[in-house]
Amino acid sequence: MAQHLSIPALAKRVTDESSAYQFLEELRWGDSPVCPHCDSTVVVFLTPRSGTGTRATRTGAQSPRRVWKCKNRECRKQFSALTGTIFHGSKIPVRSWLFVLFEMCASKNGVSAREVQRKYDLTPKSAWFMTMRIREAMKRNPTATRMVGTIEADEAYIGGKARAARGTLSKDARPSPRIKPEKTPVLTLVNRETGEARTRVMARVTSDNLYSAINHQVNPDGSRLMTDESKLYDNIGNQFTGGHDAVWHAGGEYVRGDVTSNRAENYFSQLKRSLDGTHHRISAEHLDRYLAEFDFRFSTRKLGSGSV
């Protein structure tokens, strides 16, 4: 059954590292732990010998890590709730991981690494590491099936605004030229029936590139495509058995009957506001991870804040 959490409820539930491990075990396995190495359910919890709930590490330090052991004869490996997850191998407290994960899933505008650094007393490198790992985990499964239904498609360009060239000129000199930054084209596809969004970085916005990107994500059989008036969509639009409809944005038309691309436009509106207000500047190298984060939140927005 889905649970609804808030930050006060999570803080009450996860009071220390031991309870953080137990909460993570519940989220991952429920009442039946499973060995991540062989998928066996015949496992046993290794009770710490200290009797204090902590166990000694190789350096002699005490750790609250909860360890299980697989009883399968062909496995016999030890594991914890962190094994095989984005938390594996991290020295950052599990409790901090859970709070940052909650904030990144529940905050509509996202959370920056600098904000995580300040809130959880981390180094900038650790905060950046955490947020990037979480974004990587939010990426859609590459083996997922193609979307089917009414698909709204639109493209946008992510990047800074033009600015004046550096240097000072006298008032009689010609105005400073404007430097136009390199913008990265991005394509989003929104399924009107399911509410799912899939966004990807494009090398260039051309008819062939759009055809390849959309065909990879959407099954044209039984689907309908909705876009703006751009002729670049005509090639792939002809493949949709449900037809291809377009609104004429240049003429001020945004809705005609049930034909509109407003959902894709709304996605970009939220994305750009969040990138400007929360992250301020991101590199094209990591843009795909940020898009995965916003796709995840957009696609799961009906679940409500804090649903687990």
Side-chain angles (χ1 to χ4, degrees), residues 39-88:
D39 295 328
S40 173
T41 56
V42 184
V43 299
V44 62
F45 177 69
L46 299 182
T47 305
R49 296 179 180 177
S50 64
T52 61
T54 61
R55 61 185 72 251
T57 64
R58 287 177 296 179
T59 62
Q62 295 298 311
S63 169
R65 179 170 177 263
R66 289 169 53 87
V67 179
W68 298 74
K69 184 173 182 178
C70 179
K71 301 298 288 184
N72 182 358
R73 291 184 177 181
E74 298 179 356
C75 183
R76 297 284 188 179
K77 294 181 179 179
Q78 295 185 6
F79 62 91
S80 74
L82 310 186
T83 304
T85 69
I86 60 173
F87 317 113
H88 190 80

Side-chain angles (χ1 to χ4, degrees), residues 38 44 137 148 163 168-170 179 219:
C38 67
V44 62
V148 177
R163 58 182 176 81
T168 58
L169 297 175
S170 65
I179 297 178
N219 185 353

Side-chain angles (χ1 to χ4, degrees), residues 140-141 143-154 187-200 213-225 240-241 264 295 298-299:
R140 186 183 62 86
N141 186 347
T143 62
T145 58
R146 294 189 293 175
M147 294 191 292
V148 177
T150 303
I151 308 299
E152 298 183 16
D154 193 27
L187 170 72
T188 191
L189 304 169
V190 179
N191 190 321
R192 183 178 294 185
E193 281 76 28
T194 64
E196 181 186 6
R198 297 187 186 180
T199 312
R200 62 176 296 174
I214 296 176
N215 189 60
H216 182 72
Q217 301 287 344
V218 182
N219 185 353
D221 293 332
S223 296
R224 182 184 179 193
L225 181 63
F240 279 70
T241 58
D295 280 354
F298 187 91
S299 301

Side-chain angles (χ1 to χ4, degrees), residues 10-304:
L10 182 61
K12 185 177 181 180
R13 180 73 181 275
V14 183
T15 57
D16 54 21
E17 278 296 277
S18 179
S19 59
Y21 271 95
Q22 294 181 51
F23 183 65
L24 194 58
E25 289 173 2
E26 181 181 329
L27 291 179
R28 185 175 184 182
W29 299 316
D31 297 329
S32 303
V34 178
C35 174
H37 303 290
C38 67
D39 295 328
S40 173
T41 56
V42 184
V43 299
V44 62
F45 177 69
L46 299 182
T47 305
R49 296 179 180 177
S50 64
T52 61
T54 61
R55 61 185 72 251
T57 64
R58 287 177 296 179
T59 62
Q62 295 298 311
S63 169
R65 179 170 177 263
R66 289 169 53 87
V67 179
W68 298 74
K69 184 173 182 178
C70 179
K71 301 298 288 184
N72 182 358
R73 291 184 177 181
E74 298 179 356
C75 183
R76 297 284 188 179
K77 294 181 179 179
Q78 295 185 6
F79 62 91
S80 74
L82 310 186
T83 304
T85 69
I86 60 173
F87 317 113
H88 190 80
S90 170
K91 296 183 179 180
I92 300 170
V94 178
R95 190 169 185 266
S96 297
W97 272 106
L98 290 175
F99 275 95
V100 174
L101 183 61
F102 175 88
E103 288 203 58
M104 290 189 66
C105 291
S107 300
K108 190 172 184 179
N109 292 322
V111 181
S112 69
R114 286 294 187 179
E115 188 174 352
V116 170
Q117 171 200 342
R118 293 191 298 269
K119 282 185 176 180
Y120 299 97
D121 194 23
L122 300 170
T123 64
K125 186 176 181 179
S126 294
W128 190 88
F129 167 81
M130 289 180 71
T131 55
M132 282 302 179
R133 269 209 176 183
I134 293 173
R135 291 185 183 105
E136 192 69 26
M138 288 177 171
K139 284 187 175 181
R140 186 183 62 86
N141 186 347
T143 62
T145 58
R146 294 189 293 175
M147 294 191 292
V148 177
T150 303
I151 308 299
E152 298 183 16
D154 193 27
E155 73 281 353
Y157 292 82
I158 306 299
K161 296 181 179 180
R163 58 182 176 81
R166 291 184 177 180
T168 58
L169 297 175
S170 65
K171 63 179 181 179
D172 297 328
R174 298 179 62 182
S176 300
R178 306 292 289 180
I179 297 178
K180 294 183 179 180
E182 291 292 331
K183 292 189 178 242
T184 305
V186 169
L187 170 72
T188 191
L189 304 169
V190 179
N191 190 321
R192 183 178 294 185
E193 281 76 28
T194 64
E196 181 186 6
R198 297 187 186 180
T199 312
R200 62 176 296 174
V201 176
M202 304 284 289
R204 290 179 58 201
V205 179
T206 65
S207 178
D208 290 341
N209 286 349
L210 288 175
Y211 184 100
S212 176
I214 296 176
N215 189 60
H216 182 72
Q217 301 287 344
V218 182
N219 185 353
D221 293 332
S223 296
R224 182 184 179 193
L225 181 63
M226 294 190 180
T227 66
D228 56 23
E229 70 276 13
S230 174
K231 297 297 182 182
L232 297 176
Y233 292 100
D234 290 350
N235 190 22
I236 181 64
N238 293 331
Q239 306 300 317
F240 279 70
T241 58
H244 171 209
D245 297 289
V247 286
W248 189 32
H249 286 173
E253 180 187 57
Y254 294 91
V255 179
R256 186 180 68 255
D258 66 341
V259 181
T260 182
S261 60
N262 281 351
R263 290 171 181 80
E265 297 277 353
N266 292 342
Y267 173 90
F268 280 131
S269 176
Q270 178 65 53
L271 173 67
K272 290 181 178 181
R273 287 199 305 270
S274 300
L275 294 182
D276 290 343
T278 301
H279 303 289
H280 305 309
R281 180 182 179 277
I282 60 176
S283 66
E285 178 185 359
H286 299 293
L287 180 57
D288 62 325
R289 291 190 176 98
Y290 288 88
L291 295 178
E293 175 190 359
F294 282 90
D295 280 354
F296 177 85
R297 271 199 301 268
F298 187 91
S299 301
T300 59
R301 65 192 184 282
K302 299 294 184 180
L303 295 178

